[in-house]
Structures are given as C-alpha cells and as structure tokens.
Amino acid sequence: MIVAAAQFAPVAGDIDANARTVAGLVREAGARVVVFAELCLSGYEPALIRDSPGLVLAEDDPRLAPVREACRAVSAAAVVNGPVRTADGRPGITTLVIGPDGGLLARYDKRHLYGVEREVFAPGAEDGRFALDGVRFATATCYDNRFPEVAERAAADGCAVYLASSVLTAGNDSFTGVYPVRARDFGLYVVLGNVLGTNEDGVGQGGAGVWGPDGERLADAGPDRPGFVLAEVGAG
C-alpha cells in the first residue's frame, strides 16, 4: 500500500480554504492513505478556536465536502484533523478518517492534551483504529506520541501502520527521539503529517514523512516545501 505524508501551512481559522488544500493534496498524491497534520483544518490556533464557535466542526460537516469528493474521486482515505464537537459540548482535537467512499471510516479524539489545549479541548478516551485493504492502522496526535504505551497498544492490537498527525516546530526532538524510536521499538511503520508556517505554537518545521519498522527514514518532505512524500507500507 502506498501512503502519503503531507504538509502545508493552514490558513488560521479558514476551514473552507484548508479543506480545499487538503482535497487538492489528496487528489495529487495518488496514494491509498494521505495523512495530514494536527488541526490542519483550522490551523493550530487554540485561542482562536476557543473564541470562535463557528470553527468547531461536526463529523458530517458540509465544509468537508471537497475532501469527501476528493477521496471518492481517487479512491483514497484522508486522515484529517480539526476541532470537532464532542458529547460534552467542547471540541476535541479530532482525527476524522474519511474513507475512499467519502464516508467516515474512523474518528479519534486526542487523548493526551498539552498545555493550553487542556483549557479548550475535551480529551478522548479511546484509541484510534481502522483497517483498509487488510492493513490495520492506528491513529495518534502529536503529544500522544510522547507516551510509548500508545504505540505499544497499537502493535499489540495488530496494527502495522501508526499515523501521527502533529504540529512540530523548530528544535523539536521528536524527529530523532520519538518517531523513529516508536517505529523501531514496536515494529511499526510511522507516518507523520506535520505543518508549515506560523501558528500559536511557533513555526512549523515540516519534515512530514515515514519511518520503517527498523526506525530508518523512508521518506522526508523537507523543512519548507508544501506537498507530500510517498512510501510503501505493509503488514510487517
């Protein structure tokens, strides 16, 4: 299976513009699964999301229609993340996996919130899982990946591919101390979607890409180019 790890600079607070960018990358990538960054649909803007109720999405939000149409057009799954309403009324930092038929294949709400996120978002309580073409995937979001038990549970649950939607700024040690370690320690393909551009946490440093189960880099999108990289992943 071919997966794409994507990166771009989201427009702060513009769901429509970001959904169009996501849809364009899904169509261009030609991959079966395309993985995007944390809060790619809104930008990583916790304070703006707190103060702007209109930025909170529903699972079936009409603003995501371009993404659904793109997934249907190229038979791809898009792993997108945004502020999505939860049962308690607050948004989660939520991964929506939109399947090749345009339907919702899976939802995952970030379990481990970091810093100001705790003031704005509701934490999730369940691990994220879905299967496609006989391959089992796990989803995790940024700070989740600091907790090795998240990847350990994924491997124990038969997942071969671990999808890490993140916002990593310059100097973040995750590129050396987290993602390759999770891959190597638990025999997983790790696919990172990251951001470019300025956000409330700093400046995204790109580097979206893939690590193999031996911890070696298979693909790297580089520090400043919007787009994606491709890699082949499998069952182990």
Side-chain angles (χ1 to χ4, degrees), residues 84-218:
V84 180
R85 189 172 298 109
T86 68
D88 81 350
R90 290 180 294 167
I93 298 179
T94 301
T95 292
L96 300 176
V97 182
I98 299 174
D101 64 355
L104 185 64
L105 189 57
R107 170 179 178 151
Y108 169 70
D109 296 317
K110 183 177 182 179
R111 296 187 67 168
H112 301 90
L113 301 179
Y114 180 79
V116 69
E117 294 171 4
R118 301 185 186 101
E119 301 171 15
V120 180
F121 301 100
E126 303 292 336
D127 290 329
R129 303 283 187 267
F130 70 95
L132 188 65
D133 299 346
V135 178
R136 191 161 171 80
F137 294 82
T139 57
T141 307
C142 208
Y143 192 49
D144 285 333
N145 302 302
R146 291 279 178 180
F147 298 84
E149 60 268 25
V150 176
E152 182 178 27
R153 289 195 301 267
D157 198 24
C159 296
V161 188
Y162 180 93
L163 308 178
S165 298
S166 300
V167 169
L168 302 177
T169 56
N172 194 294
D173 66 353
S174 295
F175 292 96
T176 56
V178 175
Y179 299 106
V181 175
R182 300 293 174 265
R184 183 179 63 247
D185 285 356
F186 302 109
L188 297 164
Y189 290 91
V190 173
V191 185
L192 167 67
N194 197 28
V195 296
L196 301 171
T198 302
N199 57 68
E200 287 185 16
D201 192 49
V203 180
Q205 72 171 69
V210 183
W211 288 263
D214 60 358
E216 294 299 313
R217 266 275 201 178
L218 302 178

